[in-house]
Amino acid sequence: MSDMPKSVRINEEGPREGFQIESAAIPTARKVELIDALSETGLRHMQIVSFVNPKRVPSMADAEQVVAGFKPKPGVDYTGLWLNEKGLERARTTGKLALEGKISIYASEKFSTRNNNRTTAQEFEYARRVLDRYKEYGIPVERGSIASAFGCNFQGDIPTSTVLDIVRRIFEIAEENAIVLKEISLADTMAWATPLSIKRTVGAIREKYPDMRLNLHLHDTRGMGIANAYAGLEMGVDMFDACVAGLGGCPFAGHKGAAGNVCTEDLAFMCEEMGIKTGLDLERLLDCARLAEDIVGHPLPGSVKFGGSLGKLRAAAQ
Amino acid sequence: MSDMPKSVRINEEGPREGFQIESAAIPTARKVELIDALSETGLRHMQIVSFVNPKRVPSMADAEQVVAGFKPKPGVDYTGLWLNEKGLERARTTGKLALEGKISIYASEKFSTRNNNRTTAQEFEYARRVLDRYKEYGIPVERGSIASAFGCNFQGDIPTSTVLDIVRRIFEIAEENAIVLKEISLADTMAWATPLSIKRTVGAIREKYPDMRLNLHLHDTRGMGIANAYAGLEMGVDMFDACVAGLGGCPFAGHKGAAGNVCTEDLAFMCEEMGIKTGLDLERLLDCARLAEDIVGHPLPGSVKFGGSLGKLRAAAQ
């Protein structure tokens, strides 16, 4: 328990991960309403849209309108996701987002080949070209990011050695480009991780790179999200991506999107109850979670929004 | 991680905890159907009904019929819950249940006073009288059980010292009655526990009673169930109560019963994925979880029944 951090940073991804899987019928104004409400919770970092092909992801066709609409809160970084140059150009054009470059590699070669039609070697070549573009545009690159780092529906379990090898090669191309990475993010993209595999992989990276900050991007598809986050905390991880209300997931069996990220307010609840500072206002987050549910029009998976926080009960019991 | 057990026993409580909060409209035959299906999953211990006042809990009015209807599987202990002498008589009369006596005390005096109109001291007096009755009937007493061991909506946080004191007094009255307890069960009745408080309280008991088997009865009201179970595993706990599909809870905000136990198949999934044997057939459990959902007629909170297990994906990826 001694490795537990004193404070953590939670990066909100609900508006992007969440609305992406919903129908395109959600009005832009309501997306903006959620983003503005989240800005008042103490969150410092929020991914709010993705710039992807509107034909493939109609629910993100209004990305520019969402960015135009929200009211930036000083001290909060608002970001967008892009997967190719066209997306990057769209993000730049908004003039309102924090542009964050990263070196992203899939730990699963089968998934990479299937999704991007590139082998892992080709992924690294592609990452080099992307870095050139970031340099040209003056976009800072601080994060190395590894997708499907714990397992893959197409490749199966991902050995720790594979992840370590990718981390090493990420640092290599960072160094080639005179980039000093500040953090490595491990994504459990398809929800294969358990607390034990989190500890194993995080431990192996910690051993080689003791000073590198680690981020966990956890999915809750198999109900392990909070337990995996706890295992990360026990290994000293102090940064997590999360989605308010567990946006991106849905408790309906018939709904394809049961793969939501770990839930922001449930994670914040656990941290604060264990004495780990989040800088977040839990009651306001719970209001946002209920707002998110109202916006999508169906129940969302987060638990504390049903069960309630303990602050008021604790005060009343005095 | 070195304290993690090699195997665990999961006690199923879904039919009792789950159907108890549902409407009384569920046909007895369907309850029996679920119990018989659960009997084929490898579970060795199942609490299937409670003998409580049918006016207060109409959904359990058919307890005798449920017990009469199910097909006992050799090697499985089927139990019922009773809260007073009348309930005990009903359980005995069935002639088909494993009668298990226990010494049950609330860690929260306020809750005990509110619920049972007895102080903690009076609770212990009552427990003594109950033990006399067990002796008279030849009912074995192997478990000491502490409710609201981590916190209480009326009393607030429960200090570890309070739990330790109750454990000590439970052992005292066991000794007075020449009873050798085999296990102590800690219930997080109102879902106040975090992984840290689980470790703190379990650790304190372990230190005083290193050889005593511990059981955790965890509720998932605030999404901490699986993480709390993991913290228990890390402390060497090898017995858990759980409910298939997370029965007893419900993902609907409007439904009062969001306080389900930790979900049997999600817990089994985590254990097996971490190399801890459960003796359970996960695929059959998932079938039971879907059956439970069909029976209650609304979504239930367990995750692996949506997300799927990894066995087939792993095999296909070879």
Side-chain angles (χ1 to χ4, degrees):
Chain A
M1 280 180 274
S2 55
D3 278 342
M4 292 249 265
K6 290 197 166 48
S7 65
V8 296
R9 190 176 102 179
I10 298 180
N11 302 317
E12 175 61 36
E13 303 212 334
R16 197 270 301 170
E17 286 254 15
F19 293 137
Q20 192 166 285
I21 70 148
E22 299 292 336
S23 92
I26 295 173
T28 304
R30 299 231 69 197
K31 296 179 184 178
V32 168
E33 185 186 350
L34 181 64
I35 295 164
D36 286 345
L38 286 167
S39 293
E40 303 301 323
T41 60
L43 286 162
R44 307 293 300 272
H45 196 279
M46 222 187 290
Q47 191 168 74
I48 59 174
V49 287
S50 57
F51 297 98
V52 286
N53 188 339
K55 278 186 195 137
R56 287 185 59 187
V57 188
S59 58
M60 280 287 145
D62 64 351
E64 277 83 356
Q65 288 73 42
V66 170
V67 176
F70 83 91
K71 200 176 136 215
K73 168 115 180 164
V76 182
D77 285 333
Y78 300 86
T79 69
L81 179 76
W82 58 80
L83 301 172
N84 55 30
E85 258 176 75
K86 197 166 172 186
L88 169 57
E89 290 305 328
R90 288 174 63 194
R92 287 183 73 219
T93 305
T94 68
K96 206 174 161 183
L97 294 174
L99 300 176
E100 297 178 342
K102 51 184 182 175
I103 304 172
S104 295
I105 302 290
Y106 289 90
S108 160
E109 183 143 27
K110 277 194 190 166
F111 188 42
S112 166
T113 309
R114 197 184 162 99
N115 232 26
N116 297 345
N117 199 25
R118 290 192 285 264
T119 63
T120 301
Q122 288 168 331
E123 281 284 294
F124 274 99
E125 278 318 306
Y126 178 78
R128 281 188 169 85
R129 293 204 300 280
V130 173
L131 287 183
D132 289 343
R133 188 52 49 100
Y134 291 157
K135 203 179 289 176
E136 183 190 335
Y137 288 156
I139 297 173
V141 179
E142 300 188 340
R143 177 180 277 202
S145 182
I146 302 169
S148 58
F150 300 92
C152 164
N153 293 354
F154 310 107
Q155 186 149 336
D157 297 289
I158 302 290
T160 300
S161 58
T162 302
V163 178
L164 276 178
D165 187 54
I166 289 173
V167 173
R168 183 184 57 75
R169 290 159 75 187
I170 285 178
F171 279 116
E172 258 174 32
I173 69 165
E175 205 173 332
E176 284 168 26
N177 288 274
I179 289 165
V180 180
L181 293 177
K182 292 195 179 162
E183 61 206 42
I184 293 289
S185 179
L186 303 174
D188 183 24
T189 314
M190 301 188 207
W192 278 59
T194 62
L196 200 61
S197 63
I198 295 278
K199 288 201 163 184
R200 196 184 300 127
T201 299
V202 168
I205 297 177
R206 275 244 170 287
E207 208 176 299
K208 287 237 174 188
Y209 310 95
D211 300 325
M212 183 56 46
R213 192 174 194 182
L214 295 182
N215 178 75
L216 287 174
H217 178 101
L218 301 169
H219 281 252
D220 197 35
T221 318
R222 296 181 175 85
M224 301 295 118
I226 290 287
N228 289 342
Y230 173 69
L233 288 170
E234 281 200 315
M235 298 301 289
V237 174
D238 68 347
M239 201 193 293
F240 297 88
D241 299 340
C243 287
V244 68
L247 263 170
C250 177
F252 289 125
H255 195 292
K256 293 290 271 182
N261 275 41
V262 72
C263 167
T264 306
E265 69 274 15
D266 289 5
L267 177 57
F269 169 83
M270 177 171 72
C271 289
E272 292 286 343
E273 283 288 324
M274 299 198 305
I276 299 170
K277 298 287 167 226
T278 62
L280 301 177
D281 181 325
L282 184 58
E283 298 305 329
R284 285 190 177 184
L285 271 181
L286 291 169
D287 288 341
C288 288
R290 291 177 200 115
L291 175 62
E293 213 160 37
D294 181 57
I295 292 173
V296 300
H298 59 76
L300 288 166
S303 292
V304 180
K305 71 180 152 51
F306 298 134
S309 64
L310 295 177
K312 284 174 197 163
L313 291 169
R314 197 171 267 135
Q318 291 307 310
Chain B
M1 280 179 274
S2 54
D3 278 343
M4 291 247 266
K6 291 198 165 49
S7 64
V8 296
R9 190 176 101 178
I10 298 179
N11 302 318
E12 175 62 35
E13 302 211 336
R16 197 271 300 169
E17 286 254 13
F19 293 135
Q20 192 167 286
I21 70 147
E22 299 292 337
S23 92
I26 295 174
T28 304
R30 299 231 67 196
K31 298 180 183 177
V32 168
E33 187 186 348
L34 180 64
I35 294 163
D36 286 344
L38 285 166
S39 293
E40 302 301 322
T41 61
L43 287 163
R44 306 292 299 272
H45 195 279
M46 221 187 291
Q47 191 167 73
I48 59 173
V49 288
S50 56
F51 297 98
V52 285
N53 187 337
K55 278 184 195 140
R56 288 185 58 185
V57 189
S59 57
M60 279 288 147
D62 64 350
E64 277 83 355
Q65 287 75 40
V66 170
V67 176
F70 83 91
K71 202 177 134 212
K73 170 114 177 165
V76 182
D77 284 333
Y78 302 86
T79 70
L81 180 77
W82 57 82
L83 301 172
N84 55 31
E85 256 176 79
K86 196 166 172 186
L88 169 57
E89 290 305 327
R90 288 173 63 195
R92 288 182 73 218
T93 306
T94 68
K96 207 174 163 184
L97 294 173
L99 300 176
E100 297 177 343
K102 51 183 181 176
I103 304 172
S104 295
I105 303 289
Y106 289 90
S108 160
E109 183 143 25
K110 277 195 190 166
F111 188 44
S112 166
T113 309
R114 196 185 163 100
N115 230 28
N116 296 344
N117 199 25
R118 289 192 285 263
T119 64
T120 301
Q122 288 168 330
E123 280 285 293
F124 274 99
E125 279 317 306
Y126 179 77
R128 282 187 169 85
R129 292 204 300 279
V130 173
L131 287 182
D132 290 342
R133 187 53 48 98
Y134 291 158
K135 204 179 289 177
E136 182 190 338
Y137 288 157
I139 296 173
V141 180
E142 299 189 340
R143 176 181 278 202
S145 183
I146 302 169
S148 58
F150 300 92
C152 165
N153 292 354
F154 311 105
Q155 185 147 337
D157 297 288
I158 302 290
T160 300
S161 56
T162 302
V163 177
L164 276 178
D165 187 54
I166 289 174
V167 173
R168 183 183 57 75
R169 291 159 74 188
I170 285 177
F171 279 116
E172 259 174 33
I173 68 165
E175 206 172 332
E176 286 169 22
N177 287 274
I179 288 166
V180 180
L181 293 177
K182 293 195 178 163
E183 62 208 40
I184 293 288
S185 179
L186 302 174
D188 183 24
T189 314
M190 300 188 208
W192 278 58
T194 62
L196 200 61
S197 62
I198 295 279
K199 287 199 165 186
R200 196 184 302 125
T201 300
V202 168
I205 297 177
R206 276 245 171 285
E207 208 175 298
K208 287 238 175 188
Y209 310 95
D211 299 325
M212 184 55 48
R213 190 174 195 181
L214 295 182
N215 177 75
L216 287 173
H217 178 102
L218 301 169
H219 280 252
D220 196 36
T221 317
R222 295 179 175 86
M224 301 296 118
I226 289 287
N228 288 343
Y230 173 69
L233 289 170
E234 280 200 314
M235 298 301 288
V237 174
D238 69 347
M239 202 192 294
F240 297 88
D241 298 341
C243 287
V244 69
L247 262 170
C250 178
F252 290 124
H255 195 291
K256 295 288 270 180
N261 274 42
V262 73
C263 167
T264 306
E265 68 274 15
D266 289 4
L267 177 58
F269 170 83
M270 176 171 73
C271 289
E272 291 287 342
E273 283 289 323
M274 300 198 304
I276 298 168
K277 299 285 165 225
T278 62
L280 301 176
D281 182 324
L282 184 57
E283 299 304 328
R284 284 191 177 182
L285 271 180
L286 291 168
D287 288 341
C288 288
R290 292 177 201 114
L291 175 62
E293 213 159 37
D294 181 58
I295 293 172
V296 300
H298 59 76
L300 290 166
S303 292
V304 179
K305 70 180 153 49
F306 298 135
S309 63
L310 295 176
K312 282 175 198 162
L313 291 169
R314 197 170 266 138
Q318 292 307 311

